[in-house]
Amino acid sequence: MEDEETELRNPFPSPPSHYTRYTNANLKLLDLLRERAGEDADLYALNQYELLSDHTDVPDWPLAQLEKPRVDWILEDGHYTVFGDTWFIKEKIPSLAELGGQQLYPTDPNVDRRPALSSILRSLLVTYSKLLNSLLLPPPTASAQIEPEWKRHLEWINVLSQNIMAAANDLRPVQARSNLELMMRRQLELRREETKAIHTKCDALEAQLAGLRLASQGVASSASPSTAKAASVHAEHLDAPPLQADDLSAVDVLSWAEEIV
């Protein structure tokens, strides 16, 4: 039994030793037993040897152990056990009283716990002072039957410390929500700063583009008439049909040269 408990608490436990009982033959016997006993019958309270007297391979352990876990029982209890650890169906932080300790502060989270915690802290300081005083007393004799005073103070300090730690653990969800709220606010601030930087950059680019447009319009308006005339003449010459060398005269060549100049 101790070996099984140790194996269950192993970080990587082996399969339970009774997994070898889930054979096809045993499962068929379980179905037959359930069929003969009825659906609503308690298999643990029945005599499986009488109901399965026509079979010689009935095991010496109850076939009811092969039944699937009762989910309704788990819901009723509110917890289940896996590998030696107890898991609650609804995730919650168990109180000190539920864990078997002596709780000195209110269980209801809606009640203000500060007065109780202040009293616990004062009691802890007073008990610590008494513990130091008891250590200065002479040790008891071997025949003394009275429990040493320092031991009682030490036990009470342990109880008070457990209450302070349990009360602090109860505040962890509140602390987690507060930290999450701060993180979300910081993310919003970062996104706002990034959005503001993007808008600022876009405004600067739009201003540069507007300056380039004005500069290009100024260059186009300040172009000389001779340049425009030369461009138009060049376009006319491009559009004109090609001339033959025999059709050109000296006067035509001189007039063309004057237009170009």
Side-chain angles (χ1 to χ4, degrees):
M1 187 64 182
E2 295 180 358
D3 295 339
E4 292 183 359
E5 291 293 335
T6 304
E7 184 63 27
L8 287 176
R9 298 190 177 278
N10 191 352
F12 302 98
S14 302
S17 58
H18 60 271
Y19 81 96
T20 55
R21 299 178 179 179
Y22 288 86
T23 60
N24 294 331
N26 291 336
L27 293 177
K28 290 180 180 179
L29 289 175
L30 177 63
D31 295 338
L32 182 60
L33 178 63
R34 190 185 299 109
E35 180 181 354
R36 294 182 179 180
E39 293 295 336
D40 298 335
D42 187 6
L43 300 182
Y44 285 95
L46 296 176
N47 190 345
Q48 63 184 12
Y49 301 103
E50 293 180 359
L51 295 176
L52 301 176
S53 59
D54 54 341
H55 290 75
T56 59
D57 55 348
V58 179
D60 55 353
W61 43 267
L63 289 171
Q65 294 180 356
L66 302 179
E67 286 280 348
K68 296 180 180 179
R70 293 288 299 271
V71 180
D72 54 344
W73 292 354
I74 296 176
L75 295 176
E76 182 179 354
D77 295 338
H79 60 84
Y80 58 94
T81 303
V82 177
F83 295 128
D85 295 330
T86 301
W87 299 87
F88 293 93
I89 297 177
K90 294 182 179 180
E91 291 293 337
K92 67 174 184 178
I93 300 177
S95 62
L96 183 59
E98 293 175 351
L99 295 176
Q102 183 179 357
Q103 186 167 336
L104 303 176
Y105 57 89
T107 306
D108 189 2
N110 298 323
V111 179
D112 190 6
R113 299 179 178 178
R114 288 176 293 182
L117 293 178
S118 299
S119 300
I120 293 174
L121 182 59
R122 288 195 298 268
S123 180
L124 179 62
L125 295 176
V126 172
T127 308
Y128 182 74
S129 178
K130 291 182 179 180
L131 174 63
L132 295 180
N133 293 332
S134 62
L135 293 177
L136 299 177
L137 298 176
T141 60
S143 60
Q145 301 295 330
I146 302 176
E147 185 180 14
E149 185 178 354
W150 63 267
K151 190 174 183 179
R152 296 196 303 270
H153 294 326
L154 194 61
E155 292 176 354
W156 184 237
I157 288 176
N158 187 20
V159 173
L160 297 174
S161 302
Q162 289 178 357
N163 278 266
I164 293 177
M165 293 178 62
N169 289 332
D170 291 343
L171 295 176
R172 291 190 182 277
V174 179
Q175 181 185 11
R177 286 194 295 268
S178 178
N179 292 338
L180 180 60
E181 183 179 355
L182 292 177
M183 291 173 59
M184 295 178 67
R185 287 183 178 179
R186 180 55 182 165
Q187 290 179 0
L188 287 176
E189 292 177 358
L190 290 176
R191 292 183 180 180
R192 288 171 181 171
E193 292 176 359
E194 293 175 355
T195 305
K196 183 178 180 181
I198 291 174
H199 286 312
T200 304
K201 193 65 176 180
C202 291
D203 294 340
L205 292 175
E206 289 178 357
Q208 291 180 1
L209 290 175
L212 291 175
R213 291 194 191 98
L214 293 176
S216 62
Q217 291 176 1
V219 171
S221 62
S222 63
S224 60
S226 61
T227 305
K229 183 179 179 181
S232 61
V233 171
H234 182 65
E236 291 177 359
H237 283 290
L238 290 177
D239 296 337
L243 300 176
Q244 301 295 331
D246 298 338
D247 299 336
L248 296 176
S249 61
V251 178
D252 295 331
V253 173
L254 291 175
S255 61
W256 174 76
E258 290 177 357
E259 292 177 359
I260 296 300
V261 174

